[in-house]
Amino acid sequence: MKGDISRETFDATKHYSGVRMQQGRVQTDADWNEQEALQRRRIQVEARDVIGRCGAPEDNAGFAISIAANALKIGAGRFYADGILCENETDGLAYEAQADLPSPVPWLDQLAKLKSTAAMVYLDVWERHITPLDDPLLREVALGGPDTATRVKTVWQVRVLPLATAASDPAQVKDLQAKRADGQKKLDALKAAGGSPGDISKLQSELDLIDAKIATLSGIAPTCGGSFKEWDDLSADPDRRLNARTQPPAPASGPCVVPPTSGFRRLENQLYRVEVHTPGAPGTATFKWSRDNGSVVTAIEKMSGKDITVHDLGPDDVLGFASGQWVEIIDDRSELNGVPGQLAQIDAVSSSLRRITLKAAPTPLSANADGVDRLLHPKLRRWDQGGATATANGVATTAAFLPLEDGVEVQFSGGAFRTGDFWVIPARTATGEIEWPPFAIPNTAPAPQLPRGIAHHFCRLAILALGADGKTWTVSDDCRKLFPPLNRPCCTNDALHVVSTNWSNDDLLAAATFTRDGLRIRLDAAPDPLSLTTDTVQVAIESLFQGSIGFARVYIEGTVTRDPNDDHVIVWMPPGSNTTGLSTGGTTTTGTTTGTTTTGGLTTLGTGLNIGTGLLAGGLVTNTLNPNQRKVSASVVAKKTSAKKTASTAKNASSTARKLEPETSSNARIAASGEIRLRVTLKGHLIWSDPKTSVKRVFLDGQAFGQPDLRADGKTSRIAYAFPSGSHVRASDFESWFFVGGKAQPTPLQVTLVRFLNPNFANSSAGDIKPPVPATQNVVFKAAEQIRVVEITFNRNVLASSVAANSASVILEQDINAARKRLVVDLQAAANIVRITLRDPAAFSTGKFFLTCFGTSAVGAVTPTVKAEDDQTLLDGDYDSQAGGNLVLPFTAG
């Protein structure tokens, strides 16, 4: 802070908690300022410990980012960055109208210049020193308007950071997917073993980080949890340091000369301020310094050429301006944008005219007649560097100690310095020494120190995405983390909460794991065993179809207990889980029945599908579904059904099946992959705490809230849960679903053979080409062969509409002076063969050509892609065994 202060004594490592005044003692500004610093740090650290690095209160969450017609708006409310309170009183504040971000670069222009398709909106928070020159109301006019205490202001700025969207990297994605699958197994095992919530959370965080990397390398749109180099570079805090010492002068020669013995030789105490002017590494960065902490400053009223008219010339000659001194011309625009002001040297000073004449004319701060905008508080600040080393760019930094004056020297070291980095060095005549760690007298081994400021605090607010039209921006992800008031926390003794499960919501669970371990639900306190029954802990198998026959759900009569080794864990075990077949436990059903079949007291849905062992073996749940015909053969068992009703229902079964509506996207996914969906419900108002371990009876607040995530395959989206559960009510149900079983994924659609054919459909001299073709292999045939047809063979039948005429999913291009010209062709598809016939030209001439089969659409465009006929999966053009990727085959006609 560039105030007229004696020194700064606050040091967090001393663990002081307060300043105590004593009677009859001298009071200094440093004592009062240290007390304020102690209180401010305590409040900020406490807020960060409770809220986290970034967060907003649920009841007044501020800084919500919205975009309408490409106008970026900022919502009103509060937000905390590293414990620092930020408040926006204007709802729908325009990005360009931020009070503390004058003249921002238009964010649309910024993104367009870099051709960005994604961006992050973030909050930059820091503290600024405010004097009466910045806020005249700080002066008390009743006392004549003296300059008294100054202020510290919280500055917040909403900024936009362009993000680079990475191209797909299949090899790294595959390695990360394998790493994630291994991590998921460890997580499942940890949950099954009833691991601690801390260990589970740590492992889940590692998986989240892997998911973010997979998303980035897969070309998936950025999300708030992603890792971005741009963000890392922005928020990085390089290790840059300054060291300071006093250096006694060399002994003077002559028997009658007595040299000074002290290091600091001025007659007055000083507080030196060393501040970085131009950013960069040591040797590139420059600095400026002041013996009065940069507090000698005046307001600029007018700029005209070399002449600057100021409000005053200082209180006296010591704290004023004089010929030969260096000054900096600044205003709010430069300070708030973190850029250095203009350094200039004074040529002459006219006291009567309050005019300072510079040796070189500076650039006016404004285009108006006065050359300044008084609303931006233009100022002229004195710095005390001088001599040959002082220039209009500041004093150059070096790795050696540099003299300031009268024995005080400084040395720069470490990484890149930033404009505004500063250090203060108290120098005292009583000791002839400076106060610098380790504060020895004499200080023979000074230690380099980090900057005292300016400290910037960054928080993510939102992710922006560019639409397919290449013009419209939208908010694709809200990055703000919200927290509830402490008077209604999510987890207290007033309710039980679910903290973990041994399955992942909306994900696949191995049948063997399900039948061996059952389902395990950990609570944050012990439930009463009397409240745990199959009526309060319900597990149901859901039908794979919807339509006019209704929705069928089969409840399984398993067993419900508490883990004998951990009373916080509810264990639901399927019937007959310890045998290879099934016990004859009963079942109940809800929904409309379309026919009944009873097999040993168990329910069968359709026929023919056997999943795993234990519960799902032996026909408890089977289903037959042809996704192409979209017909379902199904029957649902009731325990007691009359023969008459059975016959009547069976009579209508076939007509009902024909009227079935198409499945929802979720059920279509289940049917296609052969998975069975199970739904778990814990009845919150019927599960209560164990009276032996709780003071009063409390119930389960089980409602959990969803968040976006990926399945264990690293590609399929799923709805994950944020634990612990709780909606701040006395009781609520916990509901979750997962999938058991599944079938192997189909073989990816790939090109297996490429042939070049002449008019007689004979193969060219290039022979049979079997992709993928190594980069070292040259595909060459003679132009004289009059090749006009390229025949492509796939390993599976190709969807005819994806390679129809003019679809441009398969193209031929000629290389002309490093530019590609698309050739006019006709496409013909039959089963697994696609033929491309040249129309213009009629045959390949001498030159280099490219055959491209698209399996991936370009970012921001809709490119036709080759698809398989049966399941419409995309072409695996890069042969990574995953759908997606373009096949590019270069060849030459010689």
Side-chain angles (χ1 to χ4, degrees):
M1 303 302 176
K2 298 184 183 74
D4 185 13
I5 60 177
S6 58
R7 58 178 181 158
E8 293 184 358
T9 57
F10 172 70
D11 183 352
T13 62
K14 292 185 176 180
H15 304 162
Y16 293 155
S17 59
V19 176
R20 303 301 297 271
M21 306 304 296
Q22 299 186 83
Q23 63 179 350
R25 304 303 198 272
V26 175
Q27 295 189 8
T28 68
D29 61 286
D31 294 328
W32 289 90
N33 290 338
E34 182 173 349
Q35 176 61 49
E36 184 276 336
L38 289 169
Q39 293 176 332
R40 180 154 45 95
R41 181 180 184 275
R42 163 60 192 267
I43 293 171
Q44 292 177 1
V45 171
E46 184 176 41
R48 174 169 174 167
D49 289 343
V50 173
I51 298 169
R53 282 201 63 252
C54 304
E58 287 182 350
D59 56 356
N60 192 18
F63 297 86
I65 302 302
S66 60
I67 295 180
N70 277 352
L72 193 153
K73 304 291 185 181
I74 306 167
R78 296 189 296 274
F79 195 95
Y80 291 85
D82 279 331
I84 301 175
L85 172 63
C86 306
E87 294 183 281
N88 175 26
E89 294 82 6
T90 306
D91 196 24
L93 175 66
Y95 173 82
E96 297 77 10
Q98 298 179 67
D100 289 337
L101 188 60
S103 305
V105 177
W107 67 278
L108 285 173
D109 294 348
Q110 180 185 5
L111 299 181
K113 181 178 179 180
L114 298 176
K115 298 181 180 180
S116 299
T117 59
M120 178 189 296
V121 182
Y122 67 95
L123 191 65
D124 180 5
V125 181
W126 50 285
E127 293 179 332
R128 183 187 181 200
H129 186 223
I130 300 297
T131 70
L133 295 181
D134 304 298
D135 184 359
L137 291 179
L138 295 183
R139 299 183 185 272
E140 176 52 74
V141 296
L143 300 176
D147 179 3
T148 58
T150 61
R151 303 292 187 269
V152 177
K153 178 182 178 180
T154 297
V155 174
W156 58 260
Q157 299 169 330
V158 173
R159 295 179 177 267
V160 178
L161 178 67
L163 299 177
T165 51
S168 177
D169 191 338
Q172 289 193 45
V173 169
K174 192 172 183 179
D175 291 343
L176 287 171
Q177 287 174 343
K179 185 177 180 180
R180 195 205 185 284
D182 182 62
Q184 186 64 49
K185 290 179 182 178
K186 293 179 181 179
L187 179 61
D188 292 341
L190 186 62
K191 289 180 178 179
S196 70
D199 292 340
I200 292 174
S201 177
K202 181 179 179 181
L203 190 52
Q204 184 63 58
S205 297
E206 294 175 359
L207 293 180
D208 292 342
L209 183 59
I210 295 175
D211 288 340
K213 291 181 179 179
I214 290 174
T216 300
L217 294 172
S218 300
I220 299 175
T223 60
C224 290
S227 177
F228 309 104
K229 181 180 183 302
E230 298 87 349
W231 176 259
D232 294 339
D233 293 342
L234 172 71
S235 57
D237 192 14
D239 184 8
R240 60 226 189 269
R241 296 175 184 259
L242 179 86
N243 203 358
R245 71 181 185 185
T246 56
Q247 185 69 16
S253 60
C256 299
V257 177
V258 180
T261 57
S262 64
F264 176 61
R265 301 186 299 275
R266 288 188 68 84
L267 299 179
E268 293 185 2
N269 299 316
Q270 306 289 170
L271 181 63
Y272 288 94
R273 180 187 189 90
V274 178
E275 183 173 314
V276 174
H277 186 72
T278 303
T284 301
T286 65
F287 72 98
K288 54 211 173 190
W289 63 267
S290 165
R291 67 176 67 94
D292 299 299
N293 192 34
S295 62
V296 180
V297 61
T298 185
I300 299 176
E301 296 181 347
K302 184 177 181 180
M303 295 178 64
S304 178
K306 296 181 181 181
D307 295 333
I308 298 180
T309 302
V310 296
H311 179 271
D312 61 81
L313 293 172
D316 51 43
D317 292 340
V318 175
L319 298 178
F321 298 87
S323 176
Q325 294 176 337
W326 285 88
V327 291
E328 184 179 15
I329 303 167
I330 53 175
D331 63 4
D332 289 346
R333 184 184 292 106
S334 57
E335 288 196 56
L336 291 171
N337 285 305
V339 297
Q342 303 176 66
L343 286 177
Q345 193 171 20
I346 298 177
D347 186 35
V349 176
S350 174
S351 301
S352 60
L353 298 176
R354 291 182 288 110
R355 185 172 64 199
I356 295 177
T357 301
L358 306 177
K359 291 186 177 182
T363 302
L365 297 179
S366 177
N368 60 30
D370 290 338
V372 295
D373 182 351
R374 297 196 182 187
L375 295 178
L376 294 178
H377 309 108
K379 293 182 284 290
L380 191 73
R381 188 182 306 279
R382 192 192 82 186
W383 296 97
D384 295 314
Q385 64 269 15
T389 60
T391 69
N393 292 322
V395 181
T397 58
T398 67
F401 272 98
L402 301 171
L404 297 187
E405 65 175 7
D406 294 320
V408 179
E409 297 180 345
V410 295
Q411 180 188 46
F412 294 84
S413 62
F417 292 85
R418 297 173 177 174
T419 295
D421 287 343
F422 74 91
W423 298 258
V424 290
I425 309 169
R428 297 295 180 256
T429 59
T431 60
E433 191 54 89
I434 61 173
E435 295 183 356
W436 190 265
F439 304 105
I441 300 177
N443 198 347
T444 58
Q449 300 296 304
L450 293 169
R452 296 190 70 94
I454 300 172
H456 287 259
H457 310 268
F458 302 99
C459 290
R460 302 181 181 189
L461 295 178
I463 297 292
L464 307 184
L466 183 62
D469 61 0
K471 298 179 181 179
T472 305
W473 286 87
T474 58
V475 177
S476 63
D477 206 358
D478 185 350
C479 304
R480 297 173 305 153
K481 296 181 179 180
L482 309 185
F483 61 90
L486 291 177
N487 61 358
R488 54 178 180 89
C490 66
C491 304
T492 67
N493 292 330
D494 292 333
L496 301 174
H497 305 88
V498 177
V499 296
S500 66
T501 62
N502 71 333
W503 71 90
S504 296
N505 189 70
D506 196 17
D507 207 342
L508 189 65
L509 179 67
T513 302
F514 174 68
T515 55
R516 182 189 69 242
D517 301 334
L519 304 179
R520 300 174 63 87
I521 305 101
R522 170 177 286 277
L523 307 183
D524 57 356
D528 191 337
L530 294 178
S531 68
L532 304 179
T533 71
T534 53
D535 291 318
T536 61
V537 181
Q538 302 173 356
V539 179
I541 302 172
E542 296 184 336
S543 65
L544 306 184
F545 51 87
Q546 284 181 305
S548 58
I549 66 171
F551 183 83
R553 180 178 292 173
V554 181
Y555 288 89
I556 309 171
E557 289 287 352
T559 58
V560 183
T561 60
R562 284 194 323 193
D563 188 328
N565 298 317
D566 187 347
D567 59 8
H568 285 42
V569 177
I570 301 173
V571 181
W572 182 95
M573 294 298 295
S577 56
N578 295 324
T579 66
T580 57
L582 292 168
S583 66
T584 57
T587 63
T588 60
T589 65
T590 63
T592 305
T593 61
T594 62
T596 58
T597 304
T598 304
T599 305
L602 299 175
T603 300
T604 302
L605 297 177
T607 58
L609 182 62
N610 191 319
I611 303 176
T613 59
L615 173 67
L616 298 179
L620 174 63
V621 179
T622 59
N623 174 69
T624 300
L625 178 63
N626 185 331
N628 295 324
Q629 298 178 349
R630 301 214 181 257
K631 294 182 179 180
V632 177
S633 173
S635 58
V636 180
V637 174
K639 288 184 178 179
K640 295 181 180 180
T641 307
S642 66
K644 180 178 180 180
K645 183 174 181 180
T646 300
S648 174
T649 307
K651 179 179 179 180
N652 297 323
S654 60
S655 62
T656 302
R658 286 193 297 270
K659 298 177 181 178
L660 286 178
E661 298 176 358
E663 302 87 352
T664 64
S665 59
S666 175
N667 284 327
R669 180 188 68 184
I670 299 166
S673 59
E675 299 164 358
I676 299 299
R677 181 168 65 193
L678 278 76
R679 187 172 297 273
V680 182
T681 304
L682 274 62
K683 308 303 289 185
H685 63 292
L686 296 174
I687 297 177
W688 59 82
S689 59
D690 188 342
K692 296 179 181 179
T693 59
S694 61
V695 178
K696 63 178 181 178
R697 179 181 297 180
V698 295
F699 293 85
L700 174 66
D701 186 2
Q703 183 171 339
F705 295 91
Q707 57 188 9
D709 204 343
L710 295 175
R711 276 193 174 192
D713 60 13
K715 298 188 303 178
T716 308
S717 61
R718 75 179 183 100
I719 300 175
Y721 274 159
F723 288 119
S725 67
S727 57
H728 320 302
V729 295
R730 184 181 181 188
S732 64
D733 292 351
F734 172 77
E735 188 171 26
S736 174
W737 69 94
F738 60 92
F739 305 93
V740 177
K743 64 181 180 181
Q745 295 296 320
T747 303
L749 176 66
Q750 295 176 342
V751 175
T752 58
L753 182 65
V754 177
R755 303 173 68 206
F756 299 94
L757 308 178
N758 61 24
N760 296 322
F761 294 100
N763 201 357
S764 73
S765 56
D768 291 345
I769 311 302
K770 298 180 179 180
V773 177
T776 57
Q777 179 180 340
N778 297 320
V779 178
V780 182
F781 56 81
K782 298 178 180 179
E785 296 178 63
Q786 293 296 299
I787 302 301
R788 64 188 301 267
V789 175
V790 182
E791 183 181 85
I792 308 170
T793 303
F794 295 81
N795 62 339
R796 297 165 56 192
N797 287 358
V798 177
L799 181 66
S801 61
S802 72
V803 289
N806 302 321
S807 69
S809 60
V810 181
I811 63 173
L812 287 171
E813 297 173 299
Q814 184 175 8
D815 187 341
I816 301 177
N817 297 327
R820 295 190 184 185
K821 175 186 177 183
R822 184 176 298 182
L823 306 182
V824 181
V825 300
D826 291 319
L827 295 179
Q828 182 181 7
N832 67 327
I833 295 177
V834 174
R835 281 186 175 178
I836 315 171
T837 304
L838 287 176
R839 189 194 310 169
D840 182 17
F844 290 108
S845 59
T846 301
K848 186 175 181 180
F849 300 85
F850 297 91
L851 165 66
T852 303
C853 300
F854 288 101
T856 302
S857 291
V859 176
V862 180
T863 303
T865 50
V866 182
K867 300 178 181 179
E869 180 182 53
D870 51 1
D871 58 6
Q872 299 188 17
T873 56
L874 297 175
L875 169 70
D876 175 19
D878 48 11
Y879 295 88
D880 64 347
S881 300
Q882 303 291 333
N886 302 333
L887 169 69
V888 180
L889 176 65
F891 61 92
T892 303

